[in-house]
Amino acid sequence: MITRNHISVGNRVYQRINRVPGFPIVRLRRLRKSAAIRTLFQETHLSVTDLICPIFVEEGISKPRPIESMPDIQRMPLSSLVSTTEEIRRTGIKAVILFGIPSSKDRNARSAYDERGVVQQSVELLRKHFSNTLVIITDVCLCQYTTDGHCGILLNKKIDNDKSIRILARVAISHARSGADIVAPSAMMDGQVAAIRASLDKTGFRDVAIMGYSAKHASQLYAPFRDASHSKPKFGDRKTYQMPYTNSREAMREIQEDISEGVDIVMIKPALPYLDLIYQARKHTNMPICAYSVSGEYALVKAASQEGWVDEKSIITELLTSIKRAGADMIITYHAMKMAQIMNKANN
Ligand code: PBG
Ligand code: ZN
């Protein structure tokens, strides 16, 4: 055991007692002497292709609309979806995740699996325009589509888990039919991945992948997103289905369950206060891991940047790189465009 009476050098351990004058100091600064030498020893690399850019598409609007709590992020009408995505694609980002804001809601979230629904139309448009040069991911949930704003279907003011996963499977199939590459169920209903996998396979969409929002926590950090997408629950909260942020063993169970249900990518959400979970998941599984750095994380960083309290470029580079260092393979982030532009400039 190394105690305070020992010192380790490489893989050797010396007793301090034997220390002779002039004992070599380990000079880690040799590896930091210049920018060039630092890049040689850089362990973690963030790349443009790690980034997944979220897009909000709103039905029934004619111009992009700002989101107050998310500066620089807009809700798009279908008519500007292609040009916005072209802009994203030009930065080198290859993947987007779509969130729909429908013009009609009801108790059973029917607009969520409507063939002419806002996400379905968006996917069709993008697939037609970009063919296979763009990875199209869709968020599969009901909260934007139900009148009460919950992620599942209610029966006597309680979530009916098993009915909800049948509806979620219908939503996923409708997205697959429109041309989605990856469906991402975010409702945190038990068994949602198994239900979706079985339905996709039965309807011939064996090659559509599932990204599970596996360890999705009940978090205040989703507040700006709910503003943006009008998906705040009308009563109660999401704590009966989203995970408590106090529990890391339970997070590993959620991930394990999704893996056994046949998920292709596991996700941890939020990202920054949850790096320990990303790190644990990395040790725990060989599955691809996606980290979702959520709207509230974006809002905090953006607010401080706008005030001039931190430098936006430096802070987002540091934060996103840290998410990768923790073990994430890919990151969903509202900073995606900005980050990609920064990286492209640095490489020139
Ligand atoms: C839908 C969904 C939410 C987010 C992603 N999908 C909101 C929620 O669960 O309330 C949050 C994303 C963000 O905050 O950026 N269930
Ligand atoms: Zn939801």
Side-chain angles (χ1 to χ4, degrees):
M1 225 219 349
I2 304 180
T3 68
R4 31 204 294 251
N5 294 325
H6 293 78
I7 185 164
S8 73
V9 177
N11 49 15
R12 275 179 295 173
V13 175
Y14 299 87
Q15 256 187 319
R16 278 188 194 273
I17 250 163
N18 296 336
R19 204 169 143 174
V20 289
F23 187 90
I25 294 173
V26 179
R27 296 182 197 276
L28 288 163
R29 60 173 59 228
R30 286 176 195 138
L31 315 184
R32 303 174 192 150
K33 224 160 28 182
S34 65
I37 207 165
R38 287 193 293 273
T39 59
L40 188 63
F41 293 97
Q42 185 170 331
E43 298 175 27
T44 306
H45 295 268
L46 182 67
S47 116
V48 172
T49 51
D50 299 328
L51 304 174
I52 301 171
C53 188
I55 304 179
F56 295 103
V57 195
E58 181 162 355
E59 200 168 32
I61 59 173
S62 52
K63 280 199 304 249
R65 282 199 190 159
I67 302 164
E68 209 184 326
S69 49
M70 301 177 73
D72 296 344
I73 304 294
Q74 296 182 311
R75 293 169 287 172
M76 292 293 153
L78 269 165
S79 56
S80 25
L81 179 62
V82 166
S83 58
T84 302
T85 311
E86 271 174 341
E87 227 181 294
I88 295 169
R89 193 62 197 74
R90 266 200 296 276
T91 65
I93 294 173
K94 293 189 200 298
V96 296
I97 179 163
L98 299 174
F99 297 94
I101 307 165
S103 49
S104 77
K105 302 177 188 247
D106 65 26
R107 284 177 47 202
N108 291 314
R110 281 213 304 271
S111 54
Y113 52 85
D114 182 347
E115 262 177 53
R116 305 306 303 152
V118 61
V119 172
Q120 291 78 357
Q121 289 193 57
S122 303
V123 175
E124 252 168 59
L125 262 177
L126 293 181
R127 181 57 72 214
K128 205 177 284 164
H129 191 84
F130 292 94
S131 176
N132 284 333
T133 64
L134 178 74
V135 180
I136 305 174
I137 309 173
T138 58
D139 182 75
V140 173
C141 203
L142 308 181
C143 50
Q144 289 106 294
Y145 305 87
T146 51
T147 28
D148 50 78
H150 277 286
C151 303
I153 303 294
L154 293 176
L155 191 68
N156 303 325
K157 299 232 159 185
K158 272 186 136 166
I159 305 277
D160 183 338
N161 185 85
D162 296 19
K163 182 172 180 188
S164 302
I165 62 178
R166 287 196 296 275
I167 307 273
L168 287 164
R170 287 183 75 165
V171 177
I173 289 168
S174 73
H175 293 177
R177 192 166 283 133
S178 307
D181 294 295
I182 303 176
V183 292
S186 67
M188 285 298 279
M189 296 294 129
D190 292 317
Q192 62 183 10
V193 170
I196 290 172
R197 186 70 271 159
S199 300
L200 286 173
D201 289 353
K202 208 164 59 198
T203 43
F205 298 110
R206 285 188 192 84
D207 294 338
V208 171
I210 303 176
M211 175 190 279
Y213 281 68
S214 307
K216 175 175 177 182
H217 297 79
S219 173
Q220 180 55 36
L221 289 166
Y222 308 155
F225 175 99
R226 290 175 193 165
D227 263 4
S229 64
H230 315 299
S231 62
K232 208 164 141 177
K234 291 271 156 15
F235 67 89
D237 52 39
R238 304 209 201 287
K239 289 183 181 160
T240 62
Y241 43 102
Q242 297 183 344
M243 275 207 50
Y245 54 75
T246 49
N247 296 1
S248 55
R249 292 193 302 271
E250 193 176 334
M252 295 309 116
R253 288 187 70 193
E254 283 283 6
I255 289 169
Q256 193 50 56
E257 284 311 317
D258 274 9
I259 295 171
S260 48
E261 288 178 29
V263 84
D264 299 280
I265 305 126
V266 299
M267 187 207 289
I268 291 159
K269 177 186 173 195
L272 286 173
Y274 297 73
L275 294 184
D276 58 321
L277 300 183
I278 297 172
Y279 181 76
Q280 270 190 61
R282 182 69 295 156
K283 302 281 159 212
H284 190 85
T285 168
N286 289 323
M287 299 294 294
I289 296 175
C290 176
Y292 192 153
S293 182
V294 300
S295 57
E297 297 173 51
Y298 177 83
L300 298 178
V301 167
K302 208 69 188 175
S305 306
Q306 288 190 335
E307 289 290 340
W309 295 335
V310 291
D311 173 62
E312 185 174 12
K313 280 186 194 172
S314 314
I315 196 98
I316 69 179
T317 308
E318 179 177 342
L319 296 181
L320 295 174
T321 306
S322 299
I323 295 171
K324 279 212 73 188
R325 189 194 59 234
D329 297 296
M330 57 196 98
I331 308 171
I332 301 176
T333 170
Y334 302 94
H335 298 295
M337 278 275 267
K338 184 112 207 188
M339 190 67 243
Q341 284 157 354
I342 294 169
M343 285 190 275
N344 291 336
K345 264 209 196 109
N347 291 336
N348 283 338

